[in-house]
Amino acid sequence: MTIERRAPRNDDVAIRITHCGICHSDLHMAHNDWGMSIYPMVPGHEIVGIVTAVGPDVTKYKVGDKVAVGCLVDSCQKCHQCTSGHEQFCVEGATLTYSSLDRRDGTITFGGYSDHIVTRQEFVLKLPDSLDISRAAPLLCAGITTYSPLKKYGVGPGQKVGVAGLGGLGHMGVKIAHALGAHVTMITTSPGKGDDARALGADEVLISKDADAMNAAAGTFDFILDTIPVGHDVNPYLNLLAPNGNMVLVGAIEPLPSVHGGLLAMRNRTLAGSLIGGLPETQEMLDFCGEHGIHPEIETIKLDEVNEAYDRLVRGDVRYRFVIDIEASRPAT
Amino acid sequence: MTIERRAPRNDDVAIRITHCGICHSDLHMAHNDWGMSIYPMVPGHEIVGIVTAVGPDVTKYKVGDKVAVGCLVDSCQKCHQCTSGHEQFCVEGATLTYSSLDRRDGTITFGGYSDHIVTRQEFVLKLPDSLDISRAAPLLCAGITTYSPLKKYGVGPGQKVGVAGLGGLGHMGVKIAHALGAHVTMITTSPGKGDDARALGADEVLISKDADAMNAAAGTFDFILDTIPVGHDVNPYLNLLAPNGNMVLVGAIEPLPSVHGGLLAMRNRTLAGSLIGGLPETQEMLDFCGEHGIHPEIETIKLDEVNEAYDRLVRGDVRYRFVIDIEASRPAT
């Protein structure tokens, strides 16, 4: 079937999509694993492209601009969450980039596995010139998901930071924490990932199955970014935190096995969670990555290779994010 | 047997104890529930009294001063935790007020169920004149344990704060959160505690067994202080937090049933823990309580009633803290 995009409204920006990242959540949404999917569906919320048209009220962008769209395409813009830059927590509910209902006309929103997208200007981000548009797309979800908690907890020089799990999120966590000036340790079950982690910017590698190494590192981390994408025992990681240390979950949106209250209370530790970021912080992240030359590590595919990519994603067989080259996937004209 | 206190060292303050609070942890320590007890034992770490003698190097106190001693009596005073006022996390290990080993001579420390105590001046606190010495003792543990997380998370006017559990800690949490200017909701399983909670300063009462009320309150709290003293399902409480809301455990130093990662991640929520406070913050708390006229609600007993008090503590039969009137328990001379 053909998905029609709306003609630009007065405040809309029309974007010719050049690339779109594949997020693991696309797979869950496609399969309705979370019971919230709306069909027909066009997944994709890591979108970059070029502005092709703007509505008459658009002031932020002009035709030809390099832009990006992330997980959100609308919100009320009036509540305290929206006005403080946390649109993802809009009191009325944010409109997601795909499989959500447009706030104005109730039509289904469609994402970035597509040739173009039309979005109101407030939800369009500027892609810094220093970023390579063919590699930047995963910043829109994997980038902001890791940047936001690192910034919230003030990660920077002099701090010992752990990143648990080396996948789409984890590899961005290592790169950003390193660029923020922290001493970064990759915490992984797989000794085989050590070289990769170091190449990404990790100063050390801690094997989580090595009980002696885990004991030796107990109480030494200021911050841990836990990107492990499934429910898992967080107690061994909490035990790595120093007093007043913070650990943030960005992957496991599932039940966790029993957490020991004493690991939190006896050392003023924190177990938190984090969900993407608002629009101002997403722009800040893009600018930061532009300034520091931070790109995701990607494998580029064509649009007709998505099903195969999903199969490989299930097996964890990607280093570290698939990006669909939409530009190269267009039918010859 | 007779417990001999040491003669004051050069930097010691000798204190005639007038009152000592009974903390639930005294019961666990007396019974060696945590496997760390050292006998003979004199429990008690909520101590107030009058200075009777000072060593020649003591500059902070003089004979006749009203003073207090809390959970700590010594630490290295050199590590980054000590020098930043977090002596409870001393890298070398803080010396506890009782059932611990003195750093200098290795003797067992003895607590406040006793006629006097000798402590180095850095670990002696000034009791503000505006506090009633006969009622102030529980501030030294229950007071600082609740004050510290309320301050760390910036609780104040315009914030909606929940206090879960109405016991020795919870009742102090309500009083202090109220004095800090927050809108306070007591969250309790027991409708019968509503009137008490309001009398303590709660603006509202939320019955945690009332599913409709819990649903209606979902996502509305900025901060929850969880004083429930045993392992319990924290998910219903996490669900009450607004985006970026924080919940702090101060009671449950036990395994918690499964925590749902999505409750944390999807709303940037935090589940943290907190352990007493350092010396500077404990003094700040005493000064704050003095300024605001905050006293614990207590039941005064004599020293020979401690065993009975312990039995009642196990049954939760105290509103809200036992204080031993040491002064009234002295043998007639």
Side-chain angles (χ1 to χ4, degrees):
Chain A
M1 65 181 291
T2 302
I3 299 294
E4 287 295 326
R5 299 286 179 165
R6 67 177 181 251
R9 298 166 182 153
N10 288 354
D11 56 350
D12 270 346
V13 176
I15 303 163
R16 176 183 171 104
I17 299 172
T18 62
H19 301 82
C20 182
I22 295 182
C23 176
H24 206 123
S25 63
D26 295 346
L27 190 53
H28 290 297
M29 286 297 291
H31 295 162
N32 197 21
D33 288 340
W34 298 328
M36 59 186 276
S37 298
I38 303 171
Y39 302 96
M41 181 189 297
V42 178
H45 57 205
E46 297 181 337
I47 301 167
V48 294
I50 308 290
V51 175
T52 55
V54 297
D57 296 345
V58 169
T59 54
K60 286 180 68 181
Y61 300 102
K62 60 180 189 308
V63 172
D65 282 352
K66 288 203 299 183
V67 294
V69 177
C71 301
L72 308 174
V73 288
D74 208 354
S75 71
C76 81
Q77 299 281 286
K78 290 173 188 165
C79 74
H80 69 285
Q81 297 289 357
C82 287
T83 55
S84 64
H86 298 102
E87 296 89 346
Q88 75 270 42
F89 302 128
C90 173
V91 170
E92 295 187 6
T95 306
L96 303 179
T97 301
Y98 70 87
S99 213
S100 193
L101 297 179
D102 184 87
R103 295 177 61 80
R104 300 190 203 176
D105 62 17
T107 57
I108 300 170
T109 59
F110 298 118
Y113 298 8
S114 177
D115 62 343
H116 78 291
I117 188 167
V118 178
T119 306
R120 64 181 288 189
Q121 64 173 337
E122 290 86 350
F123 288 78
V124 177
L125 298 143
K126 178 173 164 43
L127 199 67
D129 285 332
S130 53
L131 287 178
D132 177 349
I133 198 167
S134 74
R135 295 190 286 152
L139 295 177
L140 278 302
C141 177
I144 185 61
T145 297
T146 51
Y147 180 84
S148 183
L150 290 165
K151 287 294 285 189
K152 176 174 176 178
Y153 289 93
V155 163
Q159 295 196 7
K160 185 169 173 184
V161 169
V163 177
L166 182 52
L169 293 172
H171 96 286
M172 286 308 306
V174 170
K175 287 191 176 217
I176 295 173
H178 173 74
L180 287 167
H183 180 94
V184 181
T185 300
M186 167 53 57
I187 309 170
T188 174
T189 53
S190 316
K193 290 190 173 176
D195 289 346
D196 262 27
R198 286 192 179 84
L200 294 166
D203 300 285
E204 288 183 58
V205 176
L206 174 59
I207 305 303
S208 55
K209 288 177 175 166
D210 181 341
D212 290 343
M214 290 290 278
N215 281 335
T220 63
F221 284 84
D222 297 296
F223 182 87
I224 295 174
L225 183 69
D226 181 344
T227 74
I228 299 168
V230 293
H232 59 283
D233 182 4
V234 296
N235 294 303
Y237 302 96
L238 290 174
N239 195 48
L240 294 175
L241 291 175
N244 284 301
N246 302 296
M247 172 159 138
V248 177
L249 302 172
V250 290
I253 53 173
E254 299 181 2
L256 310 172
S258 175
V259 175
H260 199 300
L263 284 172
L264 298 172
M266 301 302 284
R267 287 291 181 273
N268 285 23
R269 292 171 175 133
T270 292
L271 175 65
S274 189
L275 177 72
I276 55 173
L279 271 291
E281 194 173 47
T282 306
Q283 186 64 61
E284 178 187 309
M285 176 276 304
L286 288 173
D287 295 343
F288 178 86
C289 290
E291 195 180 321
H292 290 81
I294 298 174
H295 288 91
E297 300 298 313
I298 63 163
E299 181 174 338
T300 304
I301 62 167
K302 298 269 185 68
L303 198 47
D304 60 9
E305 296 170 312
V306 166
N307 288 336
E308 186 189 336
Y310 276 14
D311 290 342
R312 289 182 51 199
L313 208 53
V314 170
R315 302 196 299 269
D317 174 24
V318 56
R319 290 186 178 182
Y320 285 95
R321 205 72 156 178
F322 287 112
V323 168
I324 309 168
D325 187 339
I326 303 285
E327 207 59 29
S329 304
R330 293 183 201 281
T333 50
Chain B
M1 65 180 290
T2 300
I3 300 294
E4 286 296 325
R5 299 286 179 166
R6 67 177 181 250
R9 297 166 181 154
N10 287 355
D11 57 350
D12 270 346
V13 176
I15 302 163
R16 176 182 171 105
I17 299 172
T18 63
H19 302 82
C20 183
I22 295 182
C23 176
H24 206 122
S25 63
D26 294 346
L27 189 53
H28 290 297
M29 287 296 292
H31 295 163
N32 196 21
D33 289 338
W34 298 328
M36 58 186 274
S37 297
I38 304 170
Y39 302 96
M41 180 189 299
V42 178
H45 58 204
E46 298 181 337
I47 300 167
V48 293
I50 308 290
V51 175
T52 55
V54 296
D57 296 344
V58 170
T59 54
K60 285 180 69 181
Y61 299 102
K62 61 182 189 308
V63 171
D65 283 352
K66 288 202 300 183
V67 295
V69 177
C71 301
L72 307 174
V73 289
D74 208 353
S75 70
C76 81
Q77 299 282 286
K78 290 173 189 167
C79 73
H80 69 286
Q81 297 288 359
C82 287
T83 54
S84 63
H86 299 103
E87 296 90 345
Q88 75 270 41
F89 302 127
C90 173
V91 169
E92 295 188 5
T95 307
L96 304 179
T97 301
Y98 69 88
S99 212
S100 194
L101 296 180
D102 183 88
R103 294 178 61 81
R104 301 190 203 177
D105 62 17
T107 57
I108 301 171
T109 59
F110 298 118
Y113 299 8
S114 177
D115 63 343
H116 79 292
I117 188 168
V118 178
T119 307
R120 66 182 284 189
Q121 63 173 338
E122 291 87 349
F123 288 78
V124 176
L125 298 143
K126 177 172 164 44
L127 198 68
D129 284 333
S130 53
L131 287 177
D132 177 350
I133 198 168
S134 73
R135 296 191 285 154
L139 296 178
L140 278 302
C141 177
I144 185 61
T145 297
T146 52
Y147 180 86
S148 182
L150 289 166
K151 288 294 283 188
K152 175 175 177 178
Y153 288 93
V155 163
Q159 294 196 8
K160 185 169 173 184
V161 169
V163 177
L166 182 52
L169 293 172
H171 96 287
M172 285 309 305
V174 170
K175 287 190 177 216
I176 294 172
H178 174 74
L180 287 167
H183 180 93
V184 181
T185 300
M186 166 53 57
I187 309 169
T188 174
T189 53
S190 317
K193 289 189 173 176
D195 289 346
D196 262 28
R198 287 193 178 84
L200 294 166
D203 300 286
E204 289 183 57
V205 176
L206 174 59
I207 305 303
S208 56
K209 289 177 176 167
D210 180 342
D212 290 342
M214 290 291 277
N215 282 334
T220 64
F221 285 83
D222 298 296
F223 182 88
I224 295 175
L225 184 70
D226 182 343
T227 73
I228 299 170
V230 293
H232 59 283
D233 182 4
V234 296
N235 295 303
Y237 301 96
L238 289 174
N239 195 48
L240 294 175
L241 290 176
N244 285 301
N246 303 295
M247 174 159 138
V248 177
L249 302 172
V250 290
I253 52 173
E254 300 181 3
L256 309 172
S258 175
V259 175
H260 198 299
L263 285 171
L264 298 172
M266 300 302 282
R267 289 289 182 274
N268 284 24
R269 292 171 175 131
T270 292
L271 175 66
S274 189
L275 178 73
I276 56 172
L279 271 290
E281 195 173 46
T282 305
Q283 186 64 61
E284 178 187 307
M285 175 277 304
L286 288 174
D287 295 343
F288 178 86
C289 289
E291 196 181 317
H292 290 82
I294 298 174
H295 289 91
E297 300 298 313
I298 62 161
E299 180 174 338
T300 304
I301 63 167
K302 298 270 184 67
L303 199 46
D304 59 10
E305 296 170 312
V306 165
N307 288 336
E308 185 189 337
Y310 275 13
D311 291 341
R312 289 182 51 199
L313 206 53
V314 170
R315 301 195 300 268
D317 175 24
V318 57
R319 290 187 178 180
Y320 284 93
R321 205 71 156 179
F322 288 112
V323 169
I324 309 167
D325 187 339
I326 302 286
E327 206 59 30
S329 305
R330 292 183 201 281
T333 49

